[in-house]
Amino acid sequence: MQADKYPFAQELITDTEGNIRKVVIDFHDYLRLLEAIEDEGLILAMKTVEQEIPLNIDEALAQL
């Protein structure tokens, strides 16, 4: 496998059989990827509760 097939990879570290074991990427690219993963998690969480009725603070505390 070649690093040019992976958009963020600067270097691929393989085992003796040629299987990719590690990927070296720029730290800023890593932060961008991390932010994208967190954003996706937030979107998924928002979708799971979009049909719920909002509660005020007193109602929420009463349910606890």
Side-chain angles (χ1 to χ4, degrees), residues 12-61:
L12 300 176
I13 300 172
T14 59
D15 60 16
T16 56
E17 297 173 357
N19 299 311
I20 298 171
R21 292 296 181 203
K22 297 181 182 192
V23 178
V24 177
I25 64 172
D26 179 75
F27 183 69
H28 291 95
D29 289 339
Y30 167 77
L31 292 176
R32 287 179 29 213
L33 287 170
L34 188 60
E35 183 176 347
I37 292 167
E38 290 171 346
D39 288 348
E40 183 179 3
L42 178 59
I43 290 169
L44 293 173
M46 290 169 62
K47 283 184 178 184
T48 62
V49 297
E50 69 184 345
Q51 300 300 321
E52 291 186 12
I53 299 170
L55 303 174
N56 65 36
I57 187 76
D58 294 327
E59 294 169 331
L61 291 173

